Amino acid sequence: MRWDIFCQIVDNYGDAGICWRLARSLSSLHGQEVRIFCDDLPTLNLLASGVDPEIKAKIALLPWEASFQNARHLPQAPDVVIEAFGCELPERYLAGLLMAPKKPIMINLEYLSAEPWIIEFHGKASPQSHGIPKYFFFPGFQDEVGGLLLDPIPSLGNMSAKNIPSILQEAWSSLRPGAKRISIFCYPGAPLQKWLEDLGKLNQKFDIVLTHGIAELLNLTTGKPISLPSNIQLISIPFVSQDDYDWVLSQCDFNIVRGEDSFIRAQLAGKPFIWHIYHQEDRAHEVKLAAFLDLYLEAASQELRLATIAAMTWAMPSQWISHLDDWNAHALAWRSQLLKKQGDGGLAARLLHFVG
Ligand code: TRH
């Protein structure tokens, strides 16, 4: 089938990150023909740049405007149109769809949530005045919803410690043997300085990998950088491709992640993590985080549950770090459980089944 994915980048990288991961899954795992129309092509290209060129060559990454002429004529007419995160289709593309010889199915790909209410809304029709059938599709953890994007599944091959991406060679050469490695990719507003100072009081070495933009949050690029004890080493890395960032997550002992794509990748890496969830005005993020923790900690001991909730709500590391070994075992078990529950192929496979 031919799939058109529409991606409008509201802010950050998550919209492009999800659309790219979905496109590569549909193309490389399921042999589908995929085009992404995006209003910020450079960002999308940057994320996609690390992938095997053979995979990338099969997916068309196109500017938003390229869709205007495209829907009307065979063979370009799509079978499935995805509006990622409810973005509105360009009018000229929609007009083309209405004139096309076959009508596609439209999917409103929603935000990921662990909240139980999505079970009821997943797959529901969203009737449109233009008459093209459209449905809501909710990614999530439960069996009854749209699943998770798994591709590429971290395996020993592509995530081996020896496969250091060239862009990370220099940073990786400064890592210290025996130091615990923590990567940080969070939003402004996290109490990072206090958090690192608290880590500095512990009798342990920590190498902290700061992803693109985090050094600025810590004022490291101004004349007044924070000073930390020598057991803490800060290492800044540039913005890397999505594949390379997946690798970073797999090579750290602990990750601070955000949004929804890095959040899932941290879980698939099988490592403990803090989810710095995207803040919403109405505090809906607190409900979302609690719903996830309910699922994530269902099988955890009371001690681990309290430690993890403390960490996820930014309690200082000295308050929970003694539970790291237990958390590590839990993270591995959770990863296995996720892969088992998504054994049907996860989001891409469920989407194919839904439209097929
Ligand atoms: O960038 P984000 O904060 O995206 C967010 C979320 O999607 C949020 O739900 C949404 O409402 C908002 O955008 C608009 O975090 P996320 O989802 O983790 O996406 C980051 C993507 O960037 C992910 O695919 C990983 C990728 N990435 C790289 O490719 N290279 C890098 O160096 C880093 C740090 C990230």
Side-chain angles (χ1 to χ4, degrees):
M1 284 193 286
R2 177 180 278 282
W3 299 64
D4 281 351
I5 301 177
F6 281 81
C7 171
Q8 238 168 359
I9 298 184
V10 180
D11 55 6
N12 306 316
Y13 312 106
D15 308 274
I18 298 284
C19 289
W20 169 244
R21 213 181 278 285
L22 172 61
R24 67 178 286 172
S25 313
L26 288 169
S27 168
S28 70
L29 300 181
H30 302 284
Q32 304 296 298
E33 278 193 42
V34 187
R35 305 188 292 190
I36 306 181
F37 295 104
C38 181
D39 66 350
D40 181 353
L41 212 48
T43 298
L44 183 61
N45 272 312
L46 185 60
L47 279 148
S49 61
V51 81
D52 178 343
E54 257 187 59
I55 294 181
K56 189 161 180 220
K58 290 190 186 139
I59 302 165
L61 304 186
L62 301 166
W64 188 258
E65 298 74 23
S67 68
F68 296 174
Q69 304 297 329
N70 252 304
R72 192 169 158 184
H73 305 291
L74 286 170
Q76 281 102 340
D79 300 290
V80 188
V81 178
I82 299 204
E83 298 170 330
F85 309 117
C87 73
E88 262 183 46
L89 294 182
E91 253 179 64
R92 286 162 72 179
Y93 175 84
L94 189 56
L97 283 188
L98 295 173
M99 286 183 266
K102 58 174 180 179
K103 297 286 167 278
I105 289 184
M106 288 166 67
I107 299 287
N108 181 356
L109 180 66
E110 282 289 344
Y111 287 100
L112 168 79
S113 179
E115 292 164 278
W117 64 263
I118 68 167
I119 295 175
E120 201 185 319
F121 287 84
H122 172 66
K124 285 277 180 307
S126 165
Q128 303 293 307
S129 55
H130 53 59
I132 300 178
K134 178 167 159 179
Y135 300 90
F136 292 105
F137 198 91
F138 281 86
F141 297 86
Q142 300 95 333
D143 296 338
E144 305 87 335
V145 298
L148 305 174
L149 283 171
L150 305 172
D151 184 39
I153 292 182
S155 65
L156 284 179
N158 57 8
M159 293 294 155
S160 132
K162 287 192 200 128
N163 281 354
I164 306 173
S166 51
I167 193 167
L168 294 169
Q169 298 274 357
E170 199 187 319
W172 244 246
S173 67
S174 57
L175 296 175
R176 299 168 298 177
K180 282 241 177 287
R181 209 174 297 157
I182 300 179
S183 81
I184 304 187
F185 176 48
C186 63
Y187 295 114
L192 273 191
Q193 179 166 343
K194 230 171 104 192
W195 197 90
L196 290 170
E197 284 165 355
D198 186 75
L199 215 54
K201 294 181 199 144
L202 303 174
N203 186 21
Q204 158 86 53
K205 282 191 274 181
F206 293 96
D207 284 342
I208 313 290
V209 179
L210 304 175
T211 59
H212 171 74
I214 305 299
E216 283 75 10
L217 292 185
L218 286 167
N219 290 332
L220 296 184
T221 50
T222 67
K224 276 193 179 169
I226 58 163
S227 82
L228 292 166
S230 63
N231 65 329
I232 305 280
Q233 178 183 214
L234 301 180
I235 303 161
S236 283
I237 60 169
F239 193 86
V240 297
S241 70
Q242 193 179 61
D243 280 33
D244 291 349
Y245 179 60
D246 286 356
W247 184 87
V248 169
L249 293 176
S250 74
Q251 296 305 313
C252 289
D253 301 297
F254 190 93
N255 296 297
I256 298 181
V257 292
R258 66 185 212 188
E260 69 180 70
D261 190 56
S262 54
F263 164 59
I264 295 300
R265 295 315 293 183
Q267 293 168 63
L268 292 174
K271 303 289 174 66
F273 66 99
I274 291 176
W275 182 23
H276 193 210
I277 188 169
Y278 190 80
H279 277 227
Q280 287 168 278
E281 295 275 300
D282 51 4
R283 299 175 74 180
H285 59 282
E286 291 176 10
V287 179
K288 267 186 148 185
L289 175 61
F292 168 68
L293 289 173
D294 276 351
L295 294 181
Y296 183 61
L297 298 172
E298 207 175 356
S301 66
Q302 181 66 355
E303 292 78 30
L304 181 59
R305 171 184 291 267
L306 293 174
T308 308
I309 292 173
M312 292 265 187
T313 50
W314 292 101
M316 291 299 108
S318 53
Q319 292 173 35
W320 49 263
I321 206 140
S322 59
H323 297 274
L324 207 54
D325 287 346
D326 281 354
W327 193 352
N328 213 28
H330 180 78
L332 282 170
W334 173 254
R335 173 185 186 275
S336 307
Q337 186 186 322
L338 274 191
L339 291 176
K340 199 166 155 209
K341 287 188 93 165
Q342 305 285 320
D344 58 356
L347 195 148
R350 290 187 197 181
L351 200 45
L352 258 169
H353 187 251
F354 185 78
V355 301

